[in-house]
Each structure stands twice: as C-alpha cells, then as structure tokens.
Amino acid sequence: MSKSIYVGNLPWSATEDEVQALFAEYGKVLSVKLVSDRETGRARGFGFVEMDDAEAQAAIEALDNHNFGGRTLRVNEAKPRAPRPPRY
C-alpha cells in the first residue's frame, strides 16, 4: 500500500528531481508532484510525494524540520482533500 506525503515550505527553485533524490534516501519514491500556480506557472512551495507505507513513515520522521535549500521543510502524511461545493 502506498502513502501520500505532504511536503511544505519548499524553496520555489526546487525541482521534482531534487525532491525525489531527497526522499529516495528513505526508500522507493513512486511519484513526486510539485504544485505550481495556474496563472504564472511558478512553484507554490509545496508538493506531494508518494511512497510505500513503511518507507513513507521513515521519510516523514527523518525529513520533518529538515533544512533543504535554506528552508525548513514541513513533512507529514497528506490529508484527503475536503469536498468543495460546485462553482457556478
């Protein structure tokens, strides 16, 4: 089973490859998705990493409050997105 990990306070210059390399030290990374602004295309400073359960827990414990690119990362298990009312 895989687990989605929220990674916050990323430097705007961070790439998916850099984040994958950071998390790969703790196990196999299934996917990395950095969130960018729809209008500008610029990174928004957070993203999601998907890993297997046991490896994900080890990565969360090791990387929360870790210094990456001069920023202190916030790393925890991603929570499901809350349902939103339709926009019309």
Side-chain angles (χ1 to χ4, degrees), residues 22-37:
L22 178 66
F23 278 82
E25 296 177 33
Y26 302 95
K28 183 178 180 196
V29 176
L30 303 175
S31 69
V32 176
K33 172 71 173 116
L34 299 184
V35 178
S36 57
D37 186 272

Side-chain angles (χ1 to χ4, degrees), residues 4 6-7 9 13 34-36 39 41 45 48 57 59-60 64 69 88:
S4 184
Y6 167 80
V7 185
N9 205 29
S13 62
L34 299 184
V35 178
S36 57
E39 295 179 22
F48 298 91
Q57 193 57 43
I60 290 169
D64 190 31
Y88 33 110

Side-chain angles (χ1 to χ4, degrees), residues 35-85:
V35 178
S36 57
D37 186 272
R38 267 186 246 159
E39 295 179 22
T40 65
R42 192 170 95 180
R44 295 195 50 204
F46 71 95
F48 298 91
V49 175
E50 189 175 352
M51 298 177 75
D52 288 325
D53 282 342
E55 297 167 343
Q57 193 57 43
I60 290 169
E61 291 171 8
L63 295 174
D64 190 31
N65 293 317
H66 177 79
N67 189 335
F68 179 71
R71 313 263 326 237
T72 303
L73 296 180
R74 292 277 150 223
V75 181
N76 52 48
E77 185 174 348
K79 295 176 176 53
R81 193 173 188 172
R84 294 181 176 181

